[in-house]
Amino acid sequence: MFSDDLGAAARPVLRAVLDHPFWAGLRDGTLPPAALTRFVEQDTGHLLPCYGRAFAECAAVCADEAGAALLARCAAETAASAPRLRAALAGLAPELGVPPPAEDVAALPAVRDQCAGVTAAAASSYAAGLGVVLPFMVVHLEVCRDLGVRGRPGARYAPWLDAYRPGGGVEHAVRAVCALADAFGAAASSAARTEAATWYGRGVQYELAFAEACLTA
């Protein structure tokens, strides 16, 4: 299946994301609180709105009616997740000794580059747009699974992680978008598949760069 091929090619970078000190620190509670604050501010202020728009653009050009409806739901749910993540950190902030996440924070350079790439891909073609939004979903799901397996029970970030980790509906959505990608791959030209694969690889790299930026900025 096309989605399996995409995932296999990006597996080494996904492994680097899962093992990155940012996510390791969230798992065991050693992450500096300022790094989580940066993550939430950048994610909710820039990345989630950007990916929401990218999903919407993909939905607008998807020839399959059910696929278009699926991508439109992904757009809405991506945007809707931001207030939940901000509220969860705001509730934990006094215990962590940090202020609540700020509004209107400027994008970090890595985040600015990521938003520019995602926006360009979604505006370029359905192949590029689907290629760049799929790893956003897949990496998030794999990170959450890893947090559940390797996370330390009772670690200080556990309340925020409860808000971050998705329910079963997200797993269903990821499977559905992977199936949409498989259908695309079965019908698309070699050039279109290559375009989607190129953007999928970039999408996974974006997630690694984001983790690094949140830790070191």
Side-chain angles (χ1 to χ4, degrees):
M1 291 293 188
F2 187 55
S3 62
D4 294 330
D5 294 340
L6 296 173
R11 190 164 293 125
V13 183
L14 174 60
R15 185 74 258 166
V17 173
L18 299 179
D19 292 339
H20 192 276
F22 176 86
W23 293 111
L26 268 179
R27 288 194 301 268
D28 63 16
T30 61
L31 183 75
L36 179 58
T37 299
R38 276 193 294 274
F39 178 96
V40 172
E41 290 173 345
Q42 296 292 315
D43 196 38
T44 62
H46 300 285
L47 291 178
L48 291 177
C50 176
Y51 278 97
R53 291 189 295 269
F55 275 115
E57 288 204 46
C58 289
V61 297
C62 181
D64 177 76
E65 184 176 348
L70 168 65
L71 293 167
R73 288 195 301 273
C74 290
E77 290 165 7
T78 297
S81 65
R84 183 181 73 251
L85 298 182
R86 294 182 67 86
L89 180 56
L92 191 60
E95 181 179 333
L96 297 176
V98 295
E103 303 279 355
D104 301 322
V105 174
L108 295 171
V111 172
R112 189 167 59 245
D113 291 346
Q114 184 171 354
C115 288
V118 171
T119 299
S124 173
S125 69
Y126 178 67
L130 187 61
V132 84
V133 298
L134 182 56
F136 168 76
M137 301 182 75
V138 170
V139 172
H140 173 61
L141 183 59
E142 291 299 328
V143 163
C144 289
R145 286 173 172 168
D146 191 62
L147 289 167
V149 171
R150 293 199 285 172
R152 181 180 297 172
R156 63 175 172 170
Y157 295 118
W160 185 82
L161 291 174
D162 287 342
Y164 182 74
R165 286 194 294 264
V170 172
E171 294 204 26
H172 174 76
V174 173
R175 287 195 299 270
V177 176
C178 283
L180 192 62
D182 292 337
F184 162 82
S189 67
S190 176
R193 289 195 298 272
T194 297
E195 185 178 23
T198 297
W199 279 106
Y200 188 99
R202 289 176 185 171
V204 181
Q205 289 282 358
Y206 286 148
E207 299 301 326
L208 181 59
F210 180 43
E212 180 66 16
C214 290
L215 185 65
T216 62

Coordinates of all heavy atoms in Angstrom, one line a residue, residues 136-190:
F136 N 1.7 14.6 9.4 CA 1.3 15.4 10.6 C 0.4 14.5 11.5 O 0.5 14.5 12.7 CB 0.5 16.6 10.1 CG -0.2 17.4 11.2 CD1 0.4 18.2 12.1 CD2 -1.6 17.2 11.2 CE1 -0.3 18.9 13.1 CE2 -2.3 17.9 12.2 CZ -1.7 18.7 13.1
M137 N -0.5 13.7 10.8 CA -1.3 12.8 11.6 C -0.6 11.6 12.1 O -0.8 11.2 13.2 CB -2.5 12.4 10.7 CG -3.4 13.5 10.1 SD -4.8 12.9 9.1 CE -5.9 12.3 10.4
V138 N 0.2 11.0 11.2 CA 0.8 9.8 11.6 C 1.9 10.0 12.7 O 1.9 9.2 13.6 CB 1.5 9.1 10.3 CG1 2.4 8.0 10.7 CG2 0.5 8.7 9.3
V139 N 2.7 11.0 12.6 CA 3.7 11.2 13.6 C 3.0 11.5 14.9 O 3.4 11.0 16.0 CB 4.6 12.4 13.2 CG1 5.6 12.8 14.3 CG2 5.5 12.0 12.0
H140 N 2.0 12.3 14.9 CA 1.2 12.6 16.2 C 0.7 11.3 16.8 O 0.9 11.1 18.0 CB 0.1 13.6 15.9 CG -0.8 13.8 17.1 ND1 -0.4 14.4 18.2 CD2 -2.1 13.5 17.3 CE1 -1.4 14.4 19.1 NE2 -2.4 13.9 18.5
L141 N 0.2 10.5 16.0 CA -0.4 9.2 16.6 C 0.8 8.4 17.1 O 0.6 7.8 18.2 CB -1.2 8.5 15.5 CG -1.8 7.2 15.9 CD1 -2.8 7.4 17.1 CD2 -2.5 6.5 14.7
E142 N 1.9 8.3 16.4 CA 3.0 7.4 16.8 C 3.6 8.0 18.1 O 4.0 7.3 19.0 CB 4.0 7.3 15.7 CG 3.5 6.4 14.6 CD 3.2 5.0 14.9 OE1 3.8 4.5 15.9 OE2 2.3 4.4 14.3
V143 N 3.7 9.3 18.2 CA 4.3 9.9 19.4 C 3.4 9.6 20.6 O 3.9 9.3 21.7 CB 4.4 11.5 19.2 CG1 4.5 12.2 20.5 CG2 5.6 11.8 18.3
C144 N 2.1 9.7 20.4 CA 1.1 9.5 21.5 C 1.2 8.0 21.9 O 1.1 7.7 23.1 CB -0.3 9.9 21.1 SG -0.5 11.7 20.9
R145 N 1.3 7.1 21.0 CA 1.4 5.7 21.3 C 2.7 5.4 22.1 O 2.7 4.7 23.1 CB 1.5 4.8 20.1 CG 0.1 4.7 19.4 CD 0.3 4.0 18.0 NE -1.0 3.6 17.4 CZ -1.2 3.2 16.2 NH1 -0.1 3.1 15.4 NH2 -2.4 3.0 15.7
D146 N 3.8 6.1 21.7 CA 5.1 5.9 22.4 C 5.0 6.5 23.8 O 5.6 6.0 24.8 CB 6.2 6.6 21.6 CG 7.5 6.3 22.1 OD1 7.9 5.1 22.1 OD2 8.3 7.2 22.5
L147 N 4.3 7.7 23.9 CA 4.1 8.2 25.3 C 3.4 7.3 26.2 O 3.7 7.2 27.4 CB 3.4 9.6 25.2 CG 4.1 10.8 24.5 CD1 3.1 11.9 24.2 CD2 5.2 11.2 25.5
G148 N 2.4 6.6 25.6 CA 1.7 5.6 26.4 C 2.5 4.4 26.9 O 2.4 3.9 28.0
V149 N 3.4 4.0 26.0 CA 4.2 2.8 26.2 C 5.4 3.1 27.1 O 5.7 2.4 28.1 CB 4.7 2.2 24.9 CG1 5.7 1.1 25.2 CG2 3.5 1.6 24.1
R150 N 6.1 4.2 26.8 CA 7.3 4.5 27.5 C 7.2 5.6 28.6 O 8.2 6.0 29.3 CB 8.4 4.9 26.5 CG 8.8 3.8 25.6 CD 10.2 4.0 25.0 NE 10.1 5.0 23.9 CZ 11.2 5.5 23.3 NH1 12.4 5.2 23.8 NH2 11.1 6.4 22.4
G151 N 6.0 6.2 28.7 CA 5.8 7.3 29.7 C 5.9 6.8 31.1 O 5.6 5.7 31.4
R152 N 6.4 7.7 32.0 CA 6.5 7.3 33.4 C 5.2 7.7 34.1 O 4.8 8.9 34.1 CB 7.7 8.1 34.0 CG 7.9 7.8 35.5 CD 9.1 8.6 36.0 NE 10.3 8.2 35.4 CZ 11.5 8.9 35.6 NH1 11.5 10.0 36.4 NH2 12.6 8.5 34.9
P153 N 4.6 6.7 34.7 CA 3.3 7.0 35.4 C 3.5 8.1 36.5 O 4.5 8.0 37.2 CB 2.9 5.7 36.0 CG 3.6 4.6 35.1 CD 4.9 5.3 34.7
G154 N 2.6 9.0 36.5 CA 2.7 10.0 37.6 C 3.7 11.1 37.3 O 3.9 12.0 38.2
A155 N 4.4 11.1 36.2 CA 5.3 12.2 35.8 C 4.6 13.5 35.8 O 3.4 13.6 35.6 CB 6.0 11.9 34.5
R156 N 5.3 14.6 36.0 CA 4.7 15.9 36.2 C 3.9 16.4 35.0 O 3.0 17.3 35.2 CB 5.7 17.0 36.7 CG 6.7 17.3 35.7 CD 7.6 18.5 36.2 NE 8.8 18.7 35.4 CZ 9.5 19.8 35.6 NH1 9.2 20.7 36.5 NH2 10.6 20.0 34.8
Y157 N 4.2 15.9 33.8 CA 3.4 16.4 32.7 C 2.2 15.5 32.3 O 1.6 15.8 31.3 CB 4.4 16.5 31.5 CG 5.5 17.5 31.6 CD1 6.8 17.2 31.6 CD2 5.1 18.9 31.8 CE1 7.8 18.1 31.8 CE2 6.1 19.8 31.9 CZ 7.5 19.4 32.0 OH 8.4 20.4 32.1
A158 N 2.0 14.6 33.2 CA 0.9 13.6 32.9 C -0.5 14.3 32.6 O -1.2 14.0 31.7 CB 0.7 12.6 34.0
P159 N -0.9 15.4 33.4 CA -2.1 16.0 33.1 C -2.2 16.6 31.8 O -3.3 16.6 31.1 CB -2.2 17.1 34.2 CG -1.4 16.6 35.4 CD -0.2 15.9 34.7
W160 N -1.1 17.2 31.3 CA -1.1 17.8 30.0 C -1.1 16.7 28.9 O -1.8 16.9 27.9 CB 0.1 18.7 29.8 CG 0.0 19.4 28.4 CD1 -0.7 20.6 28.1 CD2 0.7 19.0 27.2 NE1 -0.5 20.9 26.8 CE2 0.3 20.0 26.2 CE3 1.5 18.0 26.9 CZ2 0.7 19.9 24.9 CZ3 1.9 17.9 25.5 CH2 1.5 18.8 24.6
L161 N -0.4 15.7 29.1 CA -0.4 14.6 28.2 C -1.8 13.9 28.0 O -2.1 13.4 26.9 CB 0.7 13.5 28.6 CG 2.1 14.0 28.4 CD1 3.1 13.0 29.0 CD2 2.5 14.3 27.0
D162 N -2.5 13.9 29.1 CA -3.9 13.4 29.0 C -4.7 14.2 27.9 O -5.6 13.6 27.2 CB -4.6 13.4 30.3 CG -4.1 12.4 31.3 OD1 -3.4 11.4 30.8 OD2 -4.3 12.5 32.5
A163 N -4.5 15.5 27.9 CA -5.2 16.3 26.9 C -4.6 16.2 25.5 O -5.3 16.3 24.5 CB -5.1 17.8 27.3
Y164 N -3.3 15.9 25.4 CA -2.6 15.8 24.2 C -2.9 14.5 23.4 O -3.0 14.5 22.2 CB -1.1 16.0 24.4 CG -0.3 16.0 23.1 CD1 -0.2 17.1 22.2 CD2 0.5 14.8 22.8 CE1 0.5 17.0 21.1 CE2 1.2 14.8 21.6 CZ 1.2 15.9 20.7 OH 2.0 15.9 19.6
R165 N -2.9 13.4 24.2 CA -3.1 12.1 23.6 C -4.5 12.0 23.0 O -5.5 12.4 23.7 CB -2.8 11.0 24.5 CG -1.4 10.8 24.8 CD -1.1 9.5 25.5 NE -1.7 9.4 26.8 CZ -1.0 9.7 28.0 NH1 0.2 10.0 27.9 NH2 -1.6 9.7 29.1
P166 N -4.7 11.5 21.8 CA -6.0 11.4 21.2 C -6.8 10.3 21.6 O -6.3 9.3 22.2 CB -5.6 11.3 19.7 CG -4.3 10.5 19.7 CD -3.6 11.0 20.9
G167 N -8.1 10.3 21.4 CA -9.0 9.2 21.6 C -9.0 8.3 20.4 O -8.3 8.5 19.5
G168 N -9.9 7.3 20.5 CA -10.0 6.3 19.4 C -10.4 6.9 18.1 O -10.1 6.4 17.0
G169 N -11.1 8.1 18.2 CA -11.6 8.7 16.9 C -10.4 9.2 16.1 O -10.5 9.1 14.8
V170 N -9.3 9.6 16.7 CA -8.1 10.0 15.9 C -7.5 8.8 15.2 O -7.1 9.0 14.0 CB -7.1 10.8 16.8 CG1 -5.8 11.1 16.1 CG2 -7.8 12.1 17.3
E171 N -7.4 7.7 15.9 CA -6.8 6.5 15.2 C -7.7 6.2 14.0 O -7.1 5.8 13.0 CB -6.8 5.4 16.2 CG -5.8 5.6 17.4 CD -5.3 4.3 18.0 OE1 -5.3 3.3 17.3 OE2 -4.9 4.3 19.2
H172 N -9.0 6.2 14.2 CA -9.8 5.9 13.0 C -9.6 6.9 11.9 O -9.5 6.5 10.7 CB -11.3 6.0 13.5 CG -12.3 5.9 12.3 ND1 -12.5 4.6 11.7 CD2 -13.0 6.8 11.6 CE1 -13.4 4.8 10.7 NE2 -13.7 6.1 10.7
A173 N -9.4 8.2 12.2 CA -9.2 9.2 11.2 C -7.9 9.0 10.5 O -7.8 9.2 9.3 CB -9.2 10.6 11.8
V174 N -6.8 8.6 11.2 CA -5.5 8.3 10.6 C -5.6 7.2 9.6 O -5.1 7.2 8.5 CB -4.4 8.1 11.7 CG1 -3.1 7.6 11.0 CG2 -4.2 9.3 12.5
R175 N -6.3 6.1 10.1 CA -6.5 5.0 9.2 C -7.3 5.4 7.9 O -7.0 4.9 6.8 CB -7.3 3.8 9.9 CG -6.4 3.1 10.9 CD -7.1 1.8 11.4 NE -8.4 2.0 12.0 CZ -8.6 2.2 13.3 NH1 -7.5 2.2 14.1 NH2 -9.8 2.4 13.7
A176 N -8.3 6.2 8.1 CA -9.1 6.7 6.9 C -8.3 7.5 6.0 O -8.4 7.4 4.7 CB -10.3 7.4 7.4
V177 N -7.5 8.4 6.5 CA -6.6 9.2 5.6 C -5.5 8.4 4.9 O -5.2 8.6 3.8 CB -6.1 10.5 6.3 CG1 -5.1 11.3 5.4 CG2 -7.2 11.3 6.9
C178 N -5.0 7.4 5.6 CA -4.1 6.5 5.0 C -4.8 5.7 3.9 O -4.2 5.5 2.8 CB -3.5 5.5 6.0 SG -2.3 6.2 7.1
A179 N -6.0 5.3 4.1 CA -6.7 4.6 3.0 C -7.0 5.6 1.8 O -6.9 5.1 0.7 CB -8.1 4.1 3.5
L180 N -7.2 6.8 2.1 CA -7.4 7.8 1.1 C -6.0 8.0 0.3 O -6.0 8.0 -1.0 CB -7.8 9.2 1.7 CG -8.2 10.3 0.7 CD1 -9.5 9.8 0.0 CD2 -8.5 11.5 1.5
A181 N -4.9 7.9 1.0 CA -3.6 8.0 0.3 C -3.4 6.7 -0.5 O -2.8 6.8 -1.6 CB -2.5 8.2 1.4
D182 N -3.8 5.6 0.0 CA -3.7 4.4 -0.8 C -4.4 4.4 -2.1 O -3.9 4.0 -3.1 CB -4.1 3.2 0.1 CG -3.2 2.9 1.3 OD1 -2.0 3.3 1.2 OD2 -3.7 2.3 2.2
A183 N -5.7 4.9 -2.0 CA -6.5 5.1 -3.2 C -5.8 6.0 -4.2 O -5.8 5.8 -5.4 CB -7.9 5.5 -2.9
F184 N -5.3 7.1 -3.7 CA -4.5 8.1 -4.5 C -3.4 7.4 -5.2 O -3.1 7.5 -6.4 CB -4.1 9.3 -3.7 CG -3.0 10.0 -4.3 CD1 -3.3 11.0 -5.3 CD2 -1.6 9.8 -4.0 CE1 -2.2 11.7 -5.9 CE2 -0.6 10.5 -4.6 CZ -0.9 11.5 -5.6
G185 N -2.6 6.7 -4.4 CA -1.4 6.0 -4.9 C -1.7 5.0 -6.0 O -0.9 4.8 -6.9
A186 N -2.8 4.3 -5.9 CA -3.2 3.3 -6.8 C -3.6 3.9 -8.2 O -3.4 3.2 -9.2 CB -4.4 2.4 -6.3
A187 N -4.1 5.1 -8.2 CA -4.6 5.7 -9.4 C -3.7 6.8 -10.0 O -3.8 7.1 -11.2 CB -5.9 6.3 -9.1
A188 N -2.7 7.3 -9.2 CA -1.9 8.4 -9.6 C -0.8 8.0 -10.5 O -0.4 6.9 -10.6 CB -1.4 9.1 -8.4
S189 N -0.3 9.0 -11.2 CA 0.9 8.8 -12.1 C 2.1 8.6 -11.2 O 2.1 9.0 -10.0 CB 1.1 10.0 -13.0 OG 1.4 11.2 -12.3
S190 N 3.2 8.2 -11.8 CA 4.4 8.0 -11.1 C 4.9 9.4 -10.6 O 5.4 9.5 -9.5 CB 5.5 7.4 -12.0 OG 6.7 7.3 -11.4

